[in-house]
Amino acid sequence: TGFTGDLVLSVSALDKLKPGVEEYLKLHQVADGKEGLNVVAYTVTWTCYEADGVTVASGASEGVKKCALVNMYGLADHDGTAIKDPREPRPVATARFELYW
């Protein structure tokens, strides 16, 4: 297609990827000063909840469950711990939008 620039996407936590996926993504890096497609992959961990909003679910159920991002918002300046997701749990599709915002 001739596109040059960054392709930004979100993937599962590295330990949950299928074999070979991480290596495949790393192959798509453009050297400094070169043109081409560069893949930027954010790894994301979710905590999803059952309908009661308290019980932790085993997954997002294809995006139906409401979820919070884990350790996505950087490190606090004062002691180096991750900042808790400041938003209410929401559908994964909504949270994904935040990743690309």
Side-chain angles (χ1 to χ4, degrees), residues 26-43:
K26 286 181 176 180
L27 287 174
H28 296 280
Q29 296 180 20
V30 178
D32 288 340
K34 302 284 184 176
E35 288 192 14
L37 179 66
N38 193 44
V39 174
V40 178
Y42 290 95
T43 59

Side-chain angles (χ1 to χ4, degrees), residues 1-2 8-9 29 37 50 52-53 56 60 62 72 75-78 87 89 100:
T1 65
V8 181
L9 52 100
Q29 296 180 20
L37 179 66
E50 297 293 345
D52 64 10
V56 175
E62 304 299 324
M72 182 63 192
L75 299 177
D77 291 333
H78 65 285
R87 301 179 189 209
Y100 304 116

Side-chain angles (χ1 to χ4, degrees), residues 31-95:
D32 288 340
K34 302 284 184 176
E35 288 192 14
L37 179 66
N38 193 44
V39 174
V40 178
Y42 290 95
T43 59
V44 179
T45 302
W46 308 92
T47 298
C48 300
Y49 299 92
E50 297 293 345
D52 64 10
V54 176
T55 307
V56 175
S58 61
S61 296
E62 304 299 324
V64 174
K65 306 275 187 210
K66 292 189 177 182
C67 304
L69 293 161
V70 177
N71 298 338
M72 182 63 192
Y73 294 98
L75 299 177
D77 291 333
H78 65 285
D79 65 2
T81 59
I83 298 169
K84 184 179 177 194
D85 188 343
R87 301 179 189 209
E88 294 291 322
R90 59 247 180 240
V92 170
T94 303

